Amino acid sequence: MDRIEKASHIVKSLNAYRNDELKDFELIKIVCSYFDKMKNEDLSEADLNFLKYISNVIGIPHFYDLLEKFEKDITLNSFDLNTLSAVIYESTLNLSKDNKVHKYQKQILELFKPAQMNRYFLSASTSFGKTHIVFEIVKQMNYDNVVLIFPTIALLSENLERLTSDENYKFFIDYYSIHTLSEVESLDEKNLFIYTPERYLSFIEKRDDEINFDFAFIDEVYKIDNDYIIDEEVRENERDVAYRLAVFYSLKKDVDTLLAGPYIDFSRPNDINYNRSFDRFLEKNQIQLIDYNDYEIVNKTYKDIKGRKSYSVDYDFDLHFETSSKKDRLIEILRQIIDINENSIIYCYSRSSVESYAKTIIKSDLLNNHSYEEYSEFISHISDNFNKEWTLISALKKGIGIHHGLVPKYIQKETVSLFNKGLLRVLLSTTTITEGVNTSAKNLIVLHDKKGNKPLKKFDAKNIAGRAGRFLYHYNGRVIVLKNNFMQAINSEPEGIKHKNYDLDAPKEEVDLFYTEDEYLTGEDKAKIIDINQLQEDRGIPDEIFHLYKVVSRKDKIEIYDKISLLNQVQLEAIKKLIRYINFRMDIEYDGFQVILNLLESIVKNQKLKFLIEYKGQNGDYSTLTHLVHFYLIGGFRGSVNFKLGKGLTVDKSISETSEFVYNTLKYQVVKYLGVFNIMYKFYISKQTGQPFEEVSGLDRLLTKLEYNAFTEKGRIASDFGVPSSIIDYYENEDNADEIKKSFDNYELNIFEKVERIINEENTGGNNV
């Protein structure tokens, strides 16, 4: 298509749009493609005027601004009437000198008005810019107390960093106390909380009566329905409870709310399997649905690669093949993408496949000439602190990033940063890349149509494809599907989201029973509630005890209480000795810890944790978990890796298993179950001795260590941010801080300076985290 044909096509599309023959979201895709074609052309003054005009017709002036990234001079020296009207319209989208929204973001912003209930559920594409508009809503409405709930600690810290480092968000530092930890010493007149669902629940357990929220935002809210997604991690099977509880507690009277997520589909009344539960949830809570799923602010081009020798991917990129095997064709695709100086994300269905394909690319001659000089300090740091034989290091040296749930968080974060800077050419990932991680890849190569061993659903496939292209970086993203049935998932029938608390027929976890209205409870459900209430009354356990660790059922807590009450004196003394060990040495005493694990074994639902408790090796005295916790406490992550290496595991396996244990099992599952034991033990001792519950010595210090690997406020903030352990040690050891800092390598020093700026920024002007 030549230049005249391109212009003719866009003019016809504009006319069709004006005549209501073309939807606005359809025109966005056409405009994206037109800009993508024109970005490589020599642009005349007339071209610039026309591009300025069409970017504002569609309501996304950012398209015109983006031309500068492609080394175009976008200065306009003359104005016709169309250009003038475009400039005037654009001014209505400017929120400040350096900050503007697109038309569809502004539509949402305009929904929020003072002196009315503002509650909305927004589903939109990954390129829409949902989080940006949330901050603008808070700023416009000038709320006093705000909670923003994100699915992961990584996203929590990313948004914290945004607020403290971006001048466009200086308003929040100037006017709000920003809190990210559940333990908040003091509340100010204006408070902004950035939490995960679990941390939000932990906060309201302690301070719910002291604060009234004005606005709540919950991201990735599809996680309320565990059947809606495919879970890569077993632990995720319990997060739906935390999400439902977070939504339940956030929707208090008079609280403005925005619930959001990408590409969420909704059941329609004319569907054969229509489920009205989510509609009931929206109606009951006066939430208005806003569906922007079709509004792809970055267009997507899909190409399904099978056996042919050549494919036209889009208007300026063709693929040619000389081989037929999947691995060989992957190398050929990457080579041709690198030849046009672009980068690629590769989606793999599992961690093992990520590492396997990484080794394939390493062994090829594709990136033999890659220089890692600009990030050599990072590689040296990993080599010194982990193991030189780790495949991840070999990959980084070749310009290849590895990203999955078993890579330590700060290494994941640095890898994405290097990729976005163009220092890595390839990033291999599982679905971890879809969980709010911002990448700058134009090309997504899809190697599998599964997530773990399960076929992808439409929602998961669209979310993966959403990684191709990024708003303000690209007009068009390429999704290259290599020898699998990914396109079947993309084109499959969507599943509507459900809410089990508004569905009489949905089986409910015991936790859900106490947060579901009677009309959605069966007779059996109501009988269970009566039975549990009687068990509670018989033991004299107050409600406030059950309100701690809300995601664990009341019946499980009662079972632990009963088991504690049956312990003999030797067992109780072993627990007290364990508590003394923890408080004075930060290590465990084996016998006392084993007593607790024996108590907890029957209520543990997570199969990995259950195995670690049940399996006791050849001597049969102590659980594997007892050994693992001990080695972690005395040696940290590296000590745990060395323990695995001593068992004969490979370097890759030792690091993966340690990551699985520390980041999934330990920080979430172990903390949760030990926390339940802790509250029931402290209540039992309080009841026996008359000592106030708060004053009973328990496992609190161990729980803080396992969750944060830190005790001080600054140490916990640094831990959330994702840093090497040496930086946490610096904040945890005030008396020895200078000596610790002197031992930092160059990479650690660079990260430390960044964290220091964030912590110091937050603690100036009366604001504190």
Side-chain angles (χ1 to χ4, degrees):
M1 185 182 290
D2 65 21
R3 198 159 177 163
I4 294 174
E5 287 178 305
K6 293 174 190 173
S8 175
H9 178 64
I10 195 74
V11 169
K12 288 178 182 177
S13 300
L14 287 168
N15 289 332
Y17 171 63
R18 291 194 185 95
N19 294 329
D20 293 326
E21 298 167 2
L22 195 68
K23 300 288 188 183
D24 49 2
F25 59 82
E26 294 171 322
L27 182 60
I28 290 173
K29 295 178 182 179
I30 294 168
V31 171
C32 275
S33 296
Y34 184 68
F35 268 90
D36 202 42
K37 293 165 187 172
M38 295 298 289
K39 73 181 188 297
N40 297 320
E41 302 277 355
D42 292 327
L43 301 177
S44 67
E45 187 77 12
D47 291 327
L48 292 173
N49 276 288
F50 183 59
L51 290 166
K52 184 75 170 177
Y53 169 67
I54 64 172
S55 69
N56 279 277
V57 167
I58 200 56
I60 311 176
H62 311 69
F63 286 166
Y64 184 80
D65 301 337
L66 180 55
L67 289 168
E68 276 195 309
K69 286 188 184 285
F70 299 97
E71 299 180 357
K72 302 298 178 187
D73 181 359
I74 62 173
T75 306
L76 290 170
N77 298 311
S78 64
F79 288 75
D80 57 22
L81 285 176
N82 282 335
T83 311
L84 182 61
S85 66
V87 171
I88 293 171
Y89 173 71
E90 183 177 344
S91 68
T92 68
L93 300 176
N94 290 329
L95 303 179
S96 66
K97 179 177 176 291
D98 300 312
N99 186 19
K100 65 185 166 192
V101 292
H102 58 66
K103 172 183 176 180
Y104 311 99
Q105 290 174 321
K106 189 175 183 186
Q107 289 173 353
I108 295 167
L109 191 57
E110 289 175 340
L111 293 172
F112 283 79
K113 296 180 176 66
Q116 71 171 33
M117 175 71 80
N118 299 289
R119 288 189 170 181
Y120 302 97
F121 188 109
L122 170 64
S123 182
S125 65
T126 52
S127 58
F128 190 85
K130 294 182 288 293
T131 306
H132 176 64
I133 200 62
V134 168
F135 287 118
E136 294 305 328
I137 290 168
V138 174
K139 192 173 179 180
Q140 171 184 288
M141 297 292 288
N142 196 26
Y143 294 116
D144 288 335
N145 294 304
V146 173
V147 60
L148 310 178
I149 299 176
F150 295 98
T152 62
I153 293 295
L155 271 175
L156 179 158
S157 64
E158 181 181 308
N159 282 283
L160 174 62
E161 184 177 4
R162 178 190 298 187
L163 292 183
T164 54
S165 61
D166 190 329
E167 278 297 312
N168 286 324
Y169 298 105
K170 192 171 185 299
F171 168 85
F172 297 96
I173 292 295
D174 290 341
Y175 291 97
Y176 285 90
S177 285
I178 301 175
H179 310 281
T180 60
L181 307 178
S182 57
E183 297 82 7
V184 179
E185 291 186 7
S186 62
L187 298 170
D188 290 336
E189 290 184 10
K190 297 176 82 68
N191 299 278
L192 176 65
F193 300 81
I194 310 176
Y195 283 154
T196 61
E198 292 82 3
R199 198 165 287 185
Y200 170 64
L201 294 174
S202 179
F203 169 76
I204 62 175
E205 286 169 2
K206 306 177 181 76
R207 308 293 289 271
D208 191 35
D209 295 335
E210 299 177 39
I211 189 167
N212 293 315
F213 286 105
D214 304 301
F215 176 71
F217 167 71
I218 303 181
D219 197 14
E220 309 284 338
V221 79
Y222 59 85
K223 291 180 184 284
I224 63 169
D225 180 3
N226 202 53
D227 292 330
Y228 190 70
I229 55 175
I230 300 168
D231 297 315
E232 187 178 20
E233 302 288 353
V234 174
R235 68 187 175 90
E236 290 296 326
N237 290 333
E238 301 169 5
R239 289 210 79 191
D240 61 325
V241 177
Y243 258 87
R244 283 197 297 279
L245 288 175
V247 171
F248 176 86
Y249 280 102
S250 69
L251 288 170
K252 289 190 174 180
K253 185 180 178 182
D254 300 329
V255 178
D256 285 359
T257 306
L258 181 64
L259 309 177
Y263 304 116
I264 300 173
D265 284 299
F266 306 94
S267 294
R268 309 298 178 188
N270 57 351
D271 291 346
I272 296 174
N273 299 314
Y274 173 56
N275 184 300
R276 195 169 179 270
S277 61
F278 197 79
D279 290 343
R280 292 191 190 105
F281 161 69
L282 296 178
E283 291 164 9
K284 179 71 175 178
N285 294 286
Q286 300 175 270
I287 301 170
Q288 181 180 332
L289 175 62
I290 312 171
D291 186 351
Y292 280 93
N293 283 332
D294 292 323
Y295 290 75
E296 289 284 1
I297 311 301
V298 177
N299 189 32
K300 303 285 185 290
T301 300
Y302 292 85
K303 187 54 61 176
D304 201 1
I305 305 296
K306 300 294 186 184
R308 292 197 339 239
K309 290 291 186 182
S310 62
Y311 291 84
S312 177
V313 180
D314 58 27
Y315 27 81
D316 64 356
F317 185 58
D318 297 332
L319 282 172
H320 303 281
F321 297 100
E322 296 179 357
T323 61
S324 57
S325 77
K326 187 171 182 175
K327 287 185 177 181
D328 289 339
R329 285 203 159 193
L330 171 62
I331 300 301
E332 288 192 273
I333 291 170
L334 290 173
R335 191 184 306 280
Q336 291 172 80
I337 289 173
I338 290 168
D339 283 346
I340 59 173
N341 200 32
E342 291 179 358
N343 58 6
S344 306
I345 293 175
I346 300 175
Y347 169 71
C348 301
Y349 77 105
S350 68
R351 303 166 191 136
S352 60
S353 65
V354 164
E355 294 177 359
S356 174
Y357 276 99
K359 290 173 182 176
T360 296
I361 302 169
I362 291 168
K363 289 176 183 176
S364 74
D365 62 354
L366 182 65
L367 291 162
N368 282 352
N369 296 323
H370 179 81
S371 171
Y372 60 87
E373 183 179 352
E374 290 190 56
Y375 55 95
S376 59
E377 291 175 350
F378 178 51
I379 290 178
S380 296
H381 165 80
I382 301 173
S383 299
D384 292 342
N385 288 276
F386 292 87
N387 191 295
K388 291 180 174 61
E389 304 303 315
W390 192 10
T391 297
L392 180 140
I393 296 172
S394 302
L396 286 171
K397 288 180 177 179
K398 293 276 192 174
I400 303 162
I402 289 176
H403 194 287
H404 58 62
L406 300 189
V407 174
K409 303 304 178 185
Y410 81 91
I411 296 178
Q412 284 187 34
K413 186 175 180 179
E414 187 68 31
T415 299
V416 170
S417 176
L418 292 172
F419 180 75
N420 287 340
K421 291 174 183 175
L423 298 176
L424 301 180
R425 307 310 299 270
V426 179
L427 182 64
L428 295 108
S429 179
T430 61
T431 52
T432 54
I433 206 67
T434 69
E435 301 207 345
V437 178
N438 289 317
T439 54
S440 60
K442 182 177 178 70
N443 302 284
L444 172 76
I445 303 170
V446 180
L447 295 184
H448 302 102
D449 53 26
K450 293 184 177 182
K451 183 178 180 181
N453 57 9
K454 298 179 182 178
L456 289 169
K457 296 181 179 181
K458 185 184 185 76
F459 168 80
D460 293 289
K462 290 187 76 171
N463 217 359
I464 291 165
R467 300 304 115 183
R470 181 179 172 187
F471 183 43
L472 303 181
Y473 284 79
H474 308 106
Y475 298 111
N476 189 69
R478 302 189 191 101
V479 181
I480 301 170
V481 180
L482 181 57
K483 292 196 169 188
N484 65 79
N485 296 318
F486 182 79
M487 294 309 299
Q488 289 184 16
I490 286 286
N491 297 319
S492 64
E493 285 298 311
E495 295 183 22
I497 192 171
K498 300 184 289 292
H499 197 309
K500 67 167 59 179
N501 297 86
Y502 293 83
D503 186 349
L504 179 65
D505 299 322
K508 296 173 181 66
E509 304 291 335
E510 185 199 303
V511 173
D512 285 301
L513 299 181
F514 292 87
Y515 302 94
T516 303
E517 294 184 12
D518 281 356
E519 62 184 302
Y520 305 117
L521 294 172
T522 64
E524 185 180 348
D525 291 334
K526 293 173 184 177
K528 284 181 183 177
I529 293 174
I530 293 171
D531 178 51
I532 293 166
N533 285 339
Q534 187 61 54
L535 292 173
Q536 175 185 352
E537 185 178 337
D538 291 345
R539 290 153 182 78
I541 303 174
D543 282 342
E544 52 264 32
I545 294 295
F546 284 138
H547 290 163
L548 301 171
Y549 292 94
K550 291 179 172 65
V551 296
V552 178
S553 74
R554 296 184 180 210
K555 209 163 186 178
D556 283 346
K557 290 170 183 168
I558 289 169
E559 181 179 334
I560 295 304
Y561 175 81
D562 287 349
K563 287 184 174 181
I564 291 170
S565 66
L566 294 174
L567 291 175
N568 59 40
Q569 198 59 38
V570 173
Q571 292 168 318
L572 287 170
E573 283 301 321
I575 292 172
K576 290 177 182 177
K577 185 177 180 181
L578 165 70
I579 293 168
R580 289 195 296 272
Y581 259 63
I582 290 167
N583 290 335
F584 292 104
R585 305 185 189 186
M586 190 37 63
D587 191 9
I588 57 168
E589 193 280 322
Y590 270 43
D591 290 333
F593 196 73
Q594 194 60 50
V595 169
I596 294 173
L597 295 189
N598 293 342
L599 288 178
L600 291 172
E601 184 179 326
S602 61
I603 71 164
V604 171
K605 308 295 189 294
N606 181 275
Q607 291 306 306
K608 290 180 182 177
L609 180 58
K610 202 171 187 68
F611 172 78
L612 292 177
I613 294 174
E614 290 175 346
Y615 185 69
K616 297 179 180 177
Q618 294 181 348
N619 59 27
D621 293 332
Y622 302 109
S623 297
T624 300
L625 181 61
T626 303
H627 298 295
L628 291 175
V629 170
H630 164 69
F631 282 105
Y632 176 73
L633 290 175
I634 64 170
F637 190 97
R638 191 171 184 176
S640 298
V641 170
N642 290 336
F643 173 69
K644 297 280 185 182
L645 289 170
K647 295 288 185 180
L649 273 64
T650 65
V651 170
D652 286 357
K653 190 73 172 172
S654 296
I655 293 175
S656 289
E657 286 195 3
T658 299
S659 295
E660 169 74 35
F661 175 67
V662 172
Y663 297 119
N664 296 345
T665 304
L666 198 62
K667 286 181 179 291
Y668 182 68
Q669 296 291 349
V670 174
V671 166
K672 178 177 66 176
Y673 287 111
L674 287 181
V676 168
F677 166 81
N678 192 48
I679 59 172
M680 302 318 294
Y681 169 78
K682 290 170 71 172
F683 175 69
Y684 172 77
I685 297 297
S686 172
K687 198 172 179 182
Q688 295 297 308
T689 64
Q691 187 180 6
F693 176 88
E694 298 79 10
E695 295 179 12
V696 176
S697 183
L699 305 179
D700 304 81
R701 188 169 168 82
L702 176 64
L703 293 171
T704 301
K705 173 69 175 178
L706 296 183
E707 183 175 359
Y708 292 104
N709 195 30
F711 298 106
T712 65
E713 183 178 303
K714 290 183 177 181
R716 283 181 282 174
I717 294 167
S719 176
D720 277 353
F721 185 73
V723 297
S725 59
S726 56
I727 295 176
I728 296 174
D729 291 342
Y730 169 87
Y731 290 113
E732 293 294 287
N733 297 277
E734 187 176 340
D735 294 340
N736 201 31
D738 290 340
E739 288 302 312
I740 293 172
K741 186 178 177 182
K742 288 177 184 176
S743 70
F744 287 171
D745 59 36
N746 289 336
Y747 172 74
E748 290 167 335
L749 195 58
N750 180 52
I751 297 299
F752 170 74
E753 289 170 354
K754 185 184 291 187
V755 173
E756 271 285 271
R757 285 194 298 272
I758 290 172
I759 290 175
N760 291 334
E761 185 72 52
E762 292 160 358
N763 286 286
T764 58
N767 303 312
N768 46 77
V769 174

